[in-house]
Amino acid sequence: MEIVHLLRAVVVDLGRHSARFAQRNGMHPTDVRALIVLMDAARAGKDTSAGQLGAALGLNSAGTTALVDRLERAGHVRRVRSERDRRKVTIEVDERAIALGLQHFGPLIDRAVGLLREYDERELAAIKGFLTGMQEAATQEGERADGH
């Protein structure tokens, strides 16, 4: 249970760190989560529509539109029309938002990378396996609680 409690403490501390970023930049915590969803999708080579973003965040259509409008007004994202199908619109994170995030989260990311360099491949595989399993468990629990 010690590791479970430590994981919970890390989650709480990371949440505070994210909340400070949101507050310092005039953002809502959901705005930060939206940017993370969009950056993770881009890193995976996936385009994200407003509907997909809303589903990932558990927002309805009106809430998603308000979120994307707010992020677009702040210069954090842009709506991009598909060249092939002009009806298809994806949401992309602006480079300035990425730079802003790196300024705040970069030192923490660097520390995490530094800590991970101290582990061998077997230990890294165990850490990755544990974190992947926890993510899957959290996703499944969330879906169960939402009635899916």
Side-chain angles (χ1 to χ4, degrees):
M1 287 302 293
E2 182 181 353
I3 290 175
V4 172
H5 293 161
L6 186 56
L7 178 62
R8 182 187 61 211
V10 169
V11 168
V12 169
D13 287 342
L14 289 174
R16 279 194 215 119
H17 194 63
S18 183
R20 280 191 296 276
F21 173 77
Q23 184 179 23
R24 289 177 182 163
N25 292 287
M27 300 169 74
H28 187 277
T30 303
D31 298 350
V32 178
R33 288 194 304 274
L35 292 173
I36 292 168
V37 166
L38 291 167
M39 288 187 295
D40 286 349
R43 198 171 13 265
K46 298 177 184 174
D47 290 334
T48 306
S49 69
Q52 291 166 322
L53 178 61
L57 297 170
L59 298 175
N60 63 24
S61 180
T64 302
T65 299
L67 167 72
V68 174
D69 287 348
R70 187 170 60 243
L71 289 172
E72 190 173 43
R73 275 193 310 274
H76 298 310
V77 302
R78 61 186 163 274
R79 289 176 168 99
V80 178
R81 291 202 177 274
S82 169
E83 293 292 323
R84 287 176 275 165
D85 183 350
R86 301 294 293 166
R87 295 169 297 175
K88 184 179 177 186
V89 178
T90 58
I91 312 302
E92 294 181 358
V93 177
D94 188 270
E95 295 78 18
R96 293 170 294 179
I98 293 169
L100 190 66
L102 277 175
Q103 183 180 21
H104 183 82
F105 293 102
L108 184 58
I109 292 167
D110 291 344
R111 296 238 352 236
V113 170
L115 288 168
L116 289 169
R117 284 191 182 117
E118 297 176 13
Y119 296 95
D120 65 31
E121 291 302 315
R122 194 175 126 275
E123 292 168 322
L124 289 171
I127 293 167
K128 184 177 179 180
F130 173 75
L131 292 174
T132 299
M134 285 302 304
Q135 182 188 25
E136 290 169 358
T139 298
Q140 290 169 357
E141 186 61 25
E143 289 171 353
R144 187 193 63 74
D146 291 340
H148 294 102

